[in-house]
Amino acid sequence: MALDWTPGRLNSLGFAKPPSETRVVVAMSGGVDSSVVAAQLAEEGYDVVGVTLQLYDHGAALAKKGACCAGRDIHDARRVAEDMGFPHYVLDYENVFKDAVIDEFADSYLGGATPVPCIRCNERVKFKDLLETAKDLDADCMATGHYIQRKMGEHGAELHSAADANRDQSYFLFSTTPAQLDYLRFPLGHLASKAETRALASKYGLSVADKPDSQDICFVPNGDYASVIEKLRPGAGEPGDIVDMDGKVLGSHNGVIHYTIGQRRGLGVGGLASPLYVVKLDVDKKHVIVGPKEALATRMIPVREINWLGDAAFDSQTEWHVGIKVRSTRPPAPAVIRPISATEAEVELLTPEEGVSPGQACVFYDEGSSRIFGGGWIWRGN
């Protein structure tokens, strides 16, 4: 049912014109979230155009359940568009995705880092090339199924955490720029739970109403990072030594790529008084360096490639007191950011945190509200 609109007022997407005259491109992954966004906007009377990106060889991915942008997902997105009566396009972004996301993922993993390719995909593909495609289609805005909120503040559009903390995707969207934020819309960010999304899917009669959520990185089958890296970079799984913090050899491993900072299980080093954890990876020496849990504690974090979403310039202050996340599953921890330049800083955690690794994102949160101030990339370890 189309929404009533009164001349002079803004519609639900923030434009001073009827929904029927407002074109919105919806990024459709084939999952329930983006399908609900497209269906809801279509029902409200907007001029909806659905776009799905083919990001990698979906022929090889057909046998894999639970990954976005694979063959079944393209079919599901197309079916939703047909059922709701709006056009749908599939764009081949395989080469772009490989160059912008997969290659860096492989190289950073080989460098001993812990990459987060979903952030780079949003930053370099969905919110860059796809957003430009939406503009080429004369769309007024682009909508996605991400659980995050866009709110208008005194100085323009602001990024805020989702109402449902369990679904919040702010960690993966910190690199959204102010210009992108002006153009993007996130219609699900205010919902209290995923159950509400599925209820809407059932209300619209969508075939994907009960479709499971994707769990893995789309191009990493069953979460097996190492096999993907070895396929992309033959010879990456070369064996080496497991050593303690003094360099004493404790055992051997079959490739640094099989380990991550903070890992405890599967080290193959037993018979010691206290458990050991991976505290560092030395790729050049092919060393997996292990130590006690307290060796993982980090207080100072170097961050670069910072995307700042505050109202004042990032380097206009010597210190910013914020909350930070270094992984998506933990709540923000109190910290002080000390800018070095407009895009680089030293972050000091007030309470040391374990398992901080190069390659992870460091995301900044306002301690007094749901607002996100951006973030950057951790680029070296202890």
Side-chain angles (χ1 to χ4, degrees), residues 338-371:
R338 298 187 178 91
I340 296 170
S341 70
T343 58
E344 194 169 347
E346 191 87 347
V347 175
E348 180 179 1
L349 283 162
L350 301 192
T351 302
E353 189 148 343
E354 296 168 355
V356 177
S357 171
Q360 292 174 324
C362 180
V363 183
F364 312 148
Y365 295 81
D366 181 16
E367 292 187 294
S369 75
S370 60
R371 188 173 178 187

Side-chain angles (χ1 to χ4, degrees), residues 5 11 16-23 45-47 140:
W5 178 78
N11 62 32
K17 54 184 176 179
S20 60
E21 296 177 15
T22 305
R23 176 169 289 180
Y46 286 96
D47 178 10
D140 294 284

Side-chain angles (χ1 to χ4, degrees), residues 151-158 160 311 371:
K151 297 182 179 182
M152 291 307 296
E154 186 179 341
H155 299 278
E158 299 174 353
H160 286 256
D311 296 330
R371 188 173 178 187

Side-chain angles (χ1 to χ4, degrees), residues 161-232:
S161 298
D164 180 3
N166 292 321
R167 305 295 304 180
D168 177 59
Q169 291 177 287
S170 58
Y171 183 82
F172 301 100
L173 296 169
F174 80 85
S175 60
T176 306
T177 66
Q180 291 167 345
L181 196 54
D182 282 341
Y183 195 70
L184 290 163
R185 301 294 186 273
F186 308 107
L188 302 183
H190 69 286
L191 298 183
S193 69
K194 181 62 178 264
E196 288 191 32
T197 306
R198 293 199 181 276
L200 286 170
S202 296
K203 170 189 169 185
Y204 300 131
L206 302 184
S207 57
V208 296
D210 297 318
K211 186 174 180 178
D213 290 338
S214 60
Q215 299 296 327
D216 302 326
I217 295 170
C218 65
F219 60 91
V220 182
N222 306 315
D224 188 355
Y225 291 67
S227 65
V228 171
I229 302 299
E230 289 185 88
K231 185 177 179 182
L232 292 167

Side-chain angles (χ1 to χ4, degrees), residues 263-287:
Q263 180 177 332
R264 176 185 172 188
R265 299 183 186 278
L267 300 183
V269 179
L272 299 171
S274 57
L276 293 174
Y277 298 77
V278 177
V279 298
K280 191 174 182 180
L281 299 171
D282 188 327
V283 178
D284 294 333
K285 294 181 179 179
K286 300 183 177 62
H287 281 177

